[in-house]
DNA sequence: ACTTAATTTCTCGACTGTCGAGAAAATAAT
DNA sequence: ATTATTTTCTCGACAGTCGAGAAATTAAGT
């Protein structure tokens, strides 16, 4: 609101509006774009002509037969306008994906991550090598890569692509911007993984019913706990954030967390915490680095057969999550919570605790229990979130640069 | 971003830009406006001519002698362009203020609030009567009132001016929009009191050093606990929110709170809670309705003289606040915390607890203790916040309506 | 007293943008 | 072939910003 406006800016904004419509609804004709954006037909002519001359969009070959009258000619993004690399960093490894401007996957491979403990410094270089490999396999010009979109669990400074805290490297920071800037002129962004899940769910949601949803939280359960929030601020404008939920204080002087603090939510609801409690290990024991899922499956099986301590471990985990969510909801507005991640397989065991933990707060007593839903297929959502976010960033950059830099 | 733009909108935005500059810096000349807004001189001529014709601004009489050359002629908002009523609802009473478009106070009086317990329904009417009284004293035309800006402690739905939960009326909702809409065509807004404090502090802050501050929290200590957050989102764009901090869960199954729940922060840090703990009353005792400040002063005096239980009560209160703040900061970014309200007189007793409570979290261990500052003069800040917010709302409305409805 | 320099404000033409109306294009139905 | 229908394109009107230079107005210099 408080920066000066000019007529050129109007054109820029309306151009990204057109591109966004194309992303959301696929190939569109002149009149459809006009309908979706609310811009007049004449303006659409002007903008599409510009975008076409700038080699950003192209006329689709197959024109949708629309009955009588002059046939519609559809526009769509040009695949070769620019390329995007998606890098998903997980505890097992790193997945590299090359995607074109139309959002279709071109190449993908994964690399094992060395579990070198003091490898934080080296890790950024390893990612650099992975990127080089992807580029050389593609035979594309380096300048065609417009954006490198990274994601990881943990705490992230998204402005400057610095990983501040991660489950694997702790508080050894990794500055991807600094590490990659020399070799790439592509923009580099880094987001929290669960934030992207939330973004994807939000996009799916209001693809179904536009402006139906106000906000939504995604809670990812696994070895660590992630949370992403998407909030509809203003007309069709989404705002996303990734609070440091897993390491929010659950109880003062509580169980020892992987991060070195005591009493974090993760120290009760992370996989290692459930394991610790199920085996009645003192809660100041140093947490296990990795817990195979099979191990937790066994505990879950025992809990389902009535083993008291195993059931209690899941219930305690649920209460920690429920209390945390209640605190979150006290600070925001009421919103539905989508639960994802490998931990969803134990949702039957966690749910009673979550509801108990939620019910202990003023907020829930006043406004009722928030809607809880379980969403599977987390990896797919992460990738979808990358695409949603990255492609719209590229759109903005291209338009701002006056098509083609 | 996702609504269509047009040239007219550009003019609107730039017009409010000019008005905002006038608000922030007082009367300004043509060239000064150009400097502050970044708009060209020609544009300033066009916009100021429009605003002057629309009777929104006027040329100031006293022209600042600026040495050689053609003397500067200053613009300022016309006092009679519109009027604003500020209604501050507190536990003691209701204060009504009439303010003109230039932001100067014209009339003010306070009314005792009847402590009628089932008076929620009647209260809105009482406010209506107060407004009538203010209007008739002013001899202004009713249509000249452009905005009624209310504030209260508690939980508020700001879009539609509904008080959802307040310390006095509990969860009996009060719909001011519905109650006043019939008699007033002025816009009606309702904000949380501490939110306005945060807004005022934020405005003061970046009046000092522009874009120096990223965000800020205001914590109001008193019979109840209030919190407001102001966040700088984008260039010179502020976002404010008032989370339900006082009733965020502190400890599960903890002390009984005034709201009926157990374990809220307020049930440990509110004045009644400190009283309860100092006298070793069981913490499930129904909280006192009102605690005279003198009573708490006595406890503070004893605590300062070394009385164990009194000191402990303040320390516990501090820990509750500290834990709550640590949770808040886990979910947002690190930000300075300004402490206001009557409770600041006990800050010496509270501080150790607050710091202990903060230190128990991962966030604080990683990023260090947030800056804590004490700010007196809360009532002044509340009024200042009203003005900041209300006048810019009026500016927006006037411009949108094409000067004069 | 007159001129000159300095500074501020105003005005004009160029440019960019959106929009509505209607022309042009292209196909199906008659 | 012609007509109806639908889509796309084009043109002129209008709104806005900007840079450059003209006009206004005062202080300083002679």
């Amino acid at each position: 609101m408080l920066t000066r406006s000019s007529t050129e800016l109007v054109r820029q904004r309306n151009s990204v509006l057109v591109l966004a419509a194309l992303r959301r609804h696929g190939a569109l004709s002149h009149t459809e774009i006009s309908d979706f954006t609310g811009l007049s037909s004449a303006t659409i002519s002007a903008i599409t002509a510009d975008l076409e001359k700038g080699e950003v969009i192209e006329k689709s070959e197959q024109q949708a037969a629309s009955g009588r009258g002059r046939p519609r000619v559809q526009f769509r993004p040009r695949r070769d306008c620019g390329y995007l690399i998606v890098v998903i960093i997980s505890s097992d490894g790193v997945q590299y994906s090359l995607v074109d401007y139309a959002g279709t996957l071109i190449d993908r491979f994964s690399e094992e991550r060395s579990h070198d403990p003091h490898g934080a410094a080296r890790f950024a270089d390893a990612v650099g090598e992975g990127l080089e490999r992807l580029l050389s396999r593609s035979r594309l010009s380096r300048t065609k890569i417009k954006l490198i979109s990274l994601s990881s669990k943990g705490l992230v400074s998204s402005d400057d692509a610095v990983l501040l805290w991660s489950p694997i490297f702790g508080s050894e920071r990794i500055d991807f911007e600094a590490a990659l800037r020399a070799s790439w002129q592509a923009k580099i962004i880094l987001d929290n993984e669960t934030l992207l899940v939330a973004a994807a769910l939000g996009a799916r949601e209001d693809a179904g019913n536009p402006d139906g949803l106000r906000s939504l939280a995604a809670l990812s359960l696994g070895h660590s706990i992630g949370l992403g929030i998407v909030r509809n601020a203003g007309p069709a404008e989404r705002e996303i954030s990734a609070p440091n939920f897993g390491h929010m204080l659950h109880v003062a002087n509580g169980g020892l967390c992987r991060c070195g603090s005591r009493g974090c939510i993760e120290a009760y609801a992370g996989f290692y915490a459930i394991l610790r409690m199920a085996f009645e290990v003192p809660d100041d024991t140093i947490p296990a680095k990795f817990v195979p899922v099979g191990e937790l499956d066994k505990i879950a099986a025992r809990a389902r057969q009535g083993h008291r301590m195993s059931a209690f471990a899941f219930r305690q985990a649920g209460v920690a999550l429920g209390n945390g969510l209640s605190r979150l909801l006290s600070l925001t507005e009421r919103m539905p919570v989508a639960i994802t991640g490998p931990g969803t397989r134990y949702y039957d065991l966690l749910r009673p605790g979550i509801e108990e933990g939620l019910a202990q707060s003023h907020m829930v007593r006043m406004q009722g229990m928030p809607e809880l839903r379980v969403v599977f297929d987390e990896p797919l959502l992460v990738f979808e979130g990358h695409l949603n976010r990255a492609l719209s960033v590229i759109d903005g950059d291209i338009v701002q640069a006056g098509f083609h830099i």
Side-chain angles (χ1 to χ4, degrees), chain A:
Chain A
M1 183 69 104
L2 286 180
T3 183
R4 81 170 210 269
S5 284
S6 63
T7 49
E8 289 90 340
L9 246 162
V10 169
R11 167 56 69 92
Q12 276 190 24
R13 293 171 68 98
N14 285 338
S15 295
V16 311
L17 199 63
V18 168
L19 288 176
L22 247 41
R23 294 236 170 272
R24 209 181 302 276
H25 305 103
L28 292 181
S29 72
H30 184 110
T31 37
E32 287 168 325
I33 297 175
S34 171
D35 288 349
F36 282 124
T37 59
L39 294 165
S40 78
S41 165
T43 305
I44 301 298
S45 282
I47 290 178
T48 50
D50 272 13
L51 289 173
E52 206 179 353
K53 204 178 321 172
E55 304 195 325
V56 179
I57 62 173
E58 62 188 355
K59 291 203 173 94
S60 169
E61 299 308 308
Q62 19 102 218
Q63 53 220 29
S66 50
R68 211 131 69 130
R70 180 170 171 173
R72 299 181 164 188
V73 34
Q74 296 192 306
F75 292 98
R76 65 174 176 207
R78 278 185 67 145
R79 315 176 85 77
D80 59 350
C81 169
Y83 294 85
L84 155 71
I85 298 181
V86 172
V87 182
I88 298 178
I89 302 166
S90 67
S91 53
D92 321 316
V94 184
Q95 184 194 64
Y96 301 85
S97 307
L98 180 66
V99 180
D100 68 23
Y101 185 62
T104 54
L105 181 63
I106 296 177
D107 188 15
R108 167 177 286 175
F109 62 83
S110 293
E111 281 181 353
E112 291 272 312
R113 220 165 42 68
S114 71
H115 283 155
D116 194 352
H118 62 284
R122 223 172 296 162
F123 180 68
D125 295 336
V127 170
E129 287 163 28
L131 291 171
E132 292 300 334
R133 191 170 144 211
L134 192 66
L135 179 68
S136 68
R137 274 165 61 142
S138 75
R139 302 182 180 284
L140 282 170
S141 151
R142 189 180 292 268
T143 59
K144 275 293 193 180
I145 309 294
K146 298 292 178 211
L147 182 66
I148 300 174
S149 176
L150 306 118
S151 71
S152 165
K153 291 183 192 303
L155 192 58
V156 143
S157 166
S158 55
D159 308 335
D160 46 4
V162 177
L163 185 59
L164 299 173
W165 189 92
S166 61
I168 309 120
F169 300 108
S171 49
E172 265 190 284
R173 326 172 118 229
I174 303 185
D175 186 340
F176 288 105
E177 171 76 30
L180 304 176
R181 173 53 52 238
S183 338
W184 302 86
Q185 80 262 51
K187 187 181 246 188
I188 296 158
I189 61 177
L190 170 64
D191 283 301
N192 172 285
E193 191 177 290
T194 315
L195 174 137
L196 294 176
V197 173
L201 286 173
R204 280 190 188 178
E205 194 81 10
D206 63 16
N209 58 332
D211 61 50
L213 143 130
R214 279 190 56 82
S215 41
L216 181 146
L219 177 65
S220 170
L221 305 179
H223 201 67
S224 65
I225 307 294
L227 187 90
I229 295 181
V230 53
R231 228 158 40 101
N232 270 20
E237 190 151 358
R238 283 197 299 278
E239 206 181 83
I240 47 185
S241 59
N244 194 7
F245 183 78
H247 299 284
M248 187 168 89
L249 186 67
H250 172 47
V251 282
N253 302 314
L256 182 61
C257 178
R258 224 171 4 155
C259 71
S261 284
R262 304 178 123 268
C264 300
I265 291 178
E266 189 183 297
Y268 288 84
F271 279 1
Y272 67 84
I274 295 174
L275 185 80
R276 193 165 62 184
M277 180 147 326
F279 286 134
E280 304 191 48
V281 177
D283 69 1
D284 56 350
T285 310
I286 306 254
K289 265 276 174 193
F290 289 95
V291 179
V293 187
E295 202 67 28
L296 226 70
D297 278 346
K298 275 187 230 162
I299 300 174
R302 262 180 304 205
R304 290 190 186 105
Q305 281 159 24
H307 182 250
R308 249 192 80 247
M309 213 51 204
S310 299
F312 181 69
F314 280 104
R315 186 167 188 105
Q316 281 300 92
V319 170
L321 294 170
N323 279 347
L325 285 175
S326 92
R327 287 170 176 139
L328 171 73
L329 296 180
S330 290
L331 295 178
T332 62
E333 52 186 351
R334 189 168 176 275
M335 61 179 84
V337 179
I339 301 177
T340 62
T344 47
R345 26 202 334 204
Y346 318 120
Y347 184 63
D348 57 325
L349 297 167
L350 293 166
R351 195 169 58 84
I354 293 178
E355 289 182 353
E356 179 189 335
L358 275 167
Q360 284 166 347
S361 81
H362 173 58
M363 146 67 56
V364 170
R365 288 169 49 120
M366 260 189 62
Q367 305 192 6
M369 193 72 72
E371 180 195 338
L372 298 175
R373 58 178 94 146
V374 178
V375 180
F376 300 100
D377 238 341
E378 191 184 30
L380 187 68
L381 285 167
V382 173
F383 188 68
E384 207 173 299
H386 268 286
L387 254 50
N388 281 343
R389 192 160 164 63
L391 291 175
S392 76
V393 168
I394 294 184
D395 286 348
D397 288 355
I398 285 180
V399 166
Q400 198 157 23
F403 320 136
H404 235 54
I405 251 210

